[in-house]
């Protein structure tokens, strides 16, 4: 009899403790869910301060020696031309020479190959220019057709534009986006007759760089425009606050 009474008492105590633990967990769960999540954004227009421009030139000859000689002559002319435009020697980087043996293929009427005839060696080299004088190099890239008029097979690439102070810009924009998110959270809390508690979580979105006034889409991994001199940087910050 005493043993049965003891078992009943133990079971009753267990039920009370279980109820208390369940109630406490439920209250804590509701408390942790009582948050506000907001997203703030930062946006900044800026002008590129570094330009990279490259072009290539080539020569073709039946002998490798002649092709190299003619390419050397064109390289000297290009170097002289760029120097005359005010580009320093240390800003010009010439690549290694690539060469290719070219053949012309003839076919029979049934479509099978008849023979291959060697037509010569084609040698190609490129020159790369990197400078902080963005406007000057940009203008030279437009005038590079003058090299073609002088008899050089010069193919100009499109300039690429970069910004050397992205780290500082990113810090400024994170601060701006965080301030924007905080203001949004305060506004929501005030309209709900509540007050913000501690910051529970913060996440930074992907850094995006697009051309100014462009219709470029954002990329999941972050876009990085190099075609536009005038750019716009975008960033988002997501904050979660406890609501009191």
């Amino acid at each position: 009899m005493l043993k049965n009474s003891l078992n009943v008492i133990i079971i009753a105590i267990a039920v009370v403790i279980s109820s208390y633990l369940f109630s406490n967990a439920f209250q804590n769960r509701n408390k942790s869910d009582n948050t506000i999540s907001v997203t703030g954004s930062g946006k900044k227009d800026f002008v590129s301060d570094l330009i990279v421009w490259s072009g290539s030139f080539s020569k073709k000859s039946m002998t490798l020696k002649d092709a190299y000689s003619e390419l050397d002559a064109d390289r000297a002319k290009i170097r002289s031309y760029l120097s005359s435009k005010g580009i320093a020697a240390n800003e010009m980087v010439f690549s290694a020479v690539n060469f290719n043996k070219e053949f012309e293929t003839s076919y029979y009427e049934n479509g099978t190959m008849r023979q291959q005839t060697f037509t010569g060696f084609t040698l190609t080299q490129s020159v790369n220019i990197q400078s902080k004088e963005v406007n000057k190099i940009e203008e030279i890239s437009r005038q590079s057709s003058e090299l073609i008029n002088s008899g050089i097979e010069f193919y100009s690439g499109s300039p690429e534009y970069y910004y050397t102070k992205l780290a500082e810009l990113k810090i400024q924009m994170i601060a701006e986006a965080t301030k924007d998110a905080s203001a949004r959270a305060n506004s929501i809390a005030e309209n709900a007759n509540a007050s913000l508690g501690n910051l529970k979580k913060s996440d930074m979105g992907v850094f995006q760089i697009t051309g100014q006034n462009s219709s470029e889409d954002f990329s999941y991994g972050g876009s990085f425009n190099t075609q536009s001199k005038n750019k716009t940087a975008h960033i988002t910050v997501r904050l979660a606050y406890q609501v009191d």
Side-chain angles (χ1 to χ4, degrees), residues 36 38 180-194 196 241:
I36 290 177
V38 290
D180 181 50
S182 181
R184 291 170 185 264
N186 273 300
S187 178
I188 294 172
E190 287 176 5
N191 289 328
N193 294 320
L196 292 183
Y241 286 95

Side-chain angles (χ1 to χ4, degrees), residues 17-234:
I17 293 173
S18 298
S19 298
Y20 171 78
L21 292 175
F22 177 79
S23 175
N24 189 56
F26 184 79
Q27 290 175 3
N28 288 338
R29 187 203 67 175
N30 286 340
K31 184 178 180 181
S32 65
D33 287 343
N34 197 22
T35 60
I36 290 177
S37 294
V38 290
T39 299
S41 62
K43 179 180 177 181
K44 181 75 172 178
D45 292 335
F46 63 97
V47 180
S48 303
D49 62 358
L50 180 70
I51 186 170
V52 177
W53 171 55
S54 62
S56 63
F57 52 102
S58 61
K59 278 295 183 181
K60 184 175 181 178
S61 182
M62 292 301 293
T63 68
L64 196 56
K65 180 180 178 181
D66 287 344
Y68 266 111
S69 177
E70 292 172 9
L71 194 73
D72 282 342
D74 280 357
R75 186 191 310 113
K77 291 178 182 178
I78 292 170
R79 193 187 299 275
S80 176
Y81 172 82
L82 295 176
S83 294
S84 71
K85 296 292 186 178
I87 298 178
N90 61 358
E91 293 178 327
M92 308 177 208
V93 178
F94 288 87
S95 70
V97 177
N98 294 320
F99 79 93
N100 187 41
K101 293 177 69 174
E102 296 189 356
F103 297 85
E104 186 177 274
T105 305
S106 60
Y107 298 87
Y108 290 106
E109 292 182 358
N110 63 4
T112 59
M113 187 175 71
R114 181 180 181 183
Q115 67 176 4
Q116 284 189 321
T117 304
F118 176 67
T119 59
F121 294 95
T122 296
L123 273 62
T124 304
Q125 191 171 22
S126 64
V127 58
N128 182 279
I129 296 163
Q130 182 173 302
S131 174
K132 289 192 173 184
E133 296 184 274
V134 177
N135 293 333
K136 183 178 80 172
I137 302 302
E138 188 178 50
E139 185 61 27
I140 293 172
S141 72
R142 297 193 187 104
Q143 298 171 352
S144 61
S145 58
E146 294 173 349
L147 287 167
I148 298 175
N149 295 334
S150 67
I152 300 174
E153 291 186 43
F154 187 81
Y155 302 92
S156 173
S158 299
E160 295 182 343
Y161 302 91
Y162 299 90
Y163 190 60
T164 61
K165 301 174 183 176
L166 275 181
E168 295 93 325
L169 178 65
K170 196 171 184 179
I171 291 172
Q172 294 173 11
M173 293 181 62
I174 291 173
E176 179 183 337
T178 302
K179 184 177 180 181
D180 181 50
S182 181
R184 291 170 185 264
N186 273 300
S187 178
I188 294 172
E190 287 176 5
N191 289 328
N193 294 320
S195 60
L196 292 183
N198 294 329
L199 177 66
K200 306 295 290 183
K201 186 179 180 182
S202 64
D203 294 300
M204 186 177 72
V206 179
F207 194 52
Q208 311 275 357
I209 297 179
T210 62
Q212 277 185 32
N213 305 315
S214 71
S215 58
E216 294 176 62
D217 292 329
F218 286 173
S219 168
Y220 178 79
S223 57
F224 191 85
N225 176 289
T226 60
Q227 288 76 47
S228 303
K229 179 170 63 175
N230 299 315
K231 306 178 191 292
T232 301
H234 311 257

